[in-house]
Amino acid sequence: PRTFMVYARDLFGNRLTRGGETFVASLSGTGLLDGTFVPGAVEDYDDGTYLCYFQTVLSGAFNLEVQLNGEVISPGTMEVTVLPGRARVDFSTIRGTGLAGLQAAGSTATDSFYVAPEIRIIARDSFRNMYNFDGLHIEVKVDGPQPGSLNSTDKSVSVFRECGLGCGEYVFFNSLQKSGDYTLTMLLHNKDTFGRITSSDKLNQNPYAFRVAGAQTSSPNSFFAGSGAVSCTVDDTCNFQ
């Protein structure tokens, strides 16, 4: 748990060196957590200092207060944000058109009406708190005729956006131009305080399999061939493909 210290002083601001005071610490939820109350634990060190800490399974915005005899002590009410814990594979959600069994090839660069298939991932921790901010490194590995890798750190192929109150999701755009059979594997990369990947967890136990069908017929990419396209006589049928 996160801790902080309380230092007792008298009416004139002199530091007290004895214990025995009754300090009460608390977290009060705000916004979506309005009405949530989390009592804190206070340990008296008997030297005028007190150790305070909280444990909560809810992430979100809180107001922190420490009171003595019913009055809030300095610096008053403070805003505290409790972040979700480590993202859990078994509590996260994967959805989107990019998981459909049959998809069309295409590219927004050549077709203004084409909409890239979306892979949408909502990450949750052990207590099912959702990540409503961008901070995770998620990778979507694409295996097939057009292999590749989509990373949440690359904003040209992904975006983080709100999906409702307190909800955020990672959206990956998987545009494929080569037809054939594909599989998708989603990885959650865990990092240390220096930003280095220490381990990776699969978000899907089994790869998602799908097939990409050809796009609309393209005149620049279509062609004809055959002996009939080279020469034929007026009384014969000129055959070519």
Side-chain angles (χ1 to χ4, degrees):
R2 294 294 183 178
T3 65
F4 60 92
M5 300 297 297
V6 172
Y7 301 92
R9 296 180 182 273
D10 66 12
L11 182 63
F12 304 102
N14 299 305
R15 177 84 177 270
L16 298 179
T17 57
R18 56 172 174 77
E21 302 295 341
T22 303
F23 288 97
V24 178
S26 64
L27 288 176
S28 300
T30 63
L32 294 176
L33 297 178
D34 189 27
T36 303
F37 179 81
V38 180
V42 181
E43 294 184 14
D44 186 351
Y45 281 6
D46 294 322
D47 61 358
T49 63
Y50 301 78
L51 175 70
C52 303
Y53 59 90
F54 297 90
Q55 285 184 313
T56 176
V57 298
L58 297 174
S59 66
F62 291 86
N63 285 332
L64 166 64
E65 288 185 348
V66 179
Q67 297 185 6
L68 175 63
N69 299 325
E71 295 186 7
V72 178
I73 68 172
S74 179
T77 302
M78 299 184 63
E79 296 181 357
V80 175
T81 300
V82 177
L83 302 178
R86 178 172 172 173
R88 282 282 300 271
V89 171
D90 45 347
F91 292 146
S92 298
T93 303
I94 306 173
R95 57 182 180 172
T97 56
L99 305 181
L102 182 62
Q103 302 175 28
S107 171
T108 54
T110 58
D111 185 355
S112 59
F113 294 100
Y114 173 75
V115 178
E118 295 183 351
I119 302 163
R120 303 161 66 183
I121 299 175
I122 299 177
R124 296 181 176 87
D125 66 10
S126 300
F127 304 104
R128 300 184 187 275
N129 295 304
M130 288 183 287
Y131 274 77
N132 56 1
F133 59 92
D134 189 1
L136 296 177
H137 184 178
I138 298 176
E139 179 185 3
V140 178
K141 295 186 67 176
V142 183
D143 292 310
Q146 187 181 333
S149 177
L150 310 175
N151 282 272
S152 58
T153 54
D154 182 357
K155 298 310 176 185
S156 66
V157 295
S158 71
V159 67
F160 183 85
R161 65 190 179 196
E162 293 185 358
C163 52
L165 288 176
C167 174
E169 64 181 358
Y170 293 86
V171 182
F172 299 86
F173 306 102
N174 190 27
S175 299
L176 296 170
Q177 292 78 53
K178 293 185 178 180
S179 60
D181 294 325
Y182 289 83
T183 58
L184 297 176
T185 302
M186 291 72 164
L187 298 173
L188 172 63
H189 296 304
N190 304 303
K191 297 183 177 181
D192 59 18
T193 55
F194 299 101
R196 298 173 299 196
I197 297 175
T198 56
S199 61
S200 300
D201 299 318
K202 283 187 177 181
L203 285 170
N204 55 319
Q205 297 302 321
N206 298 308
Y208 288 97
F210 63 96
R211 174 168 292 179
V212 172
Q216 286 185 319
T217 304
S218 169
S219 54
N221 292 320
S222 300
F223 66 94
F224 61 88
S227 59
V230 178
S231 64
C232 60
T233 62
V234 293
D235 56 345
D236 288 333
T237 301
C238 298
N239 295 317
F240 59 90
Q241 296 179 334

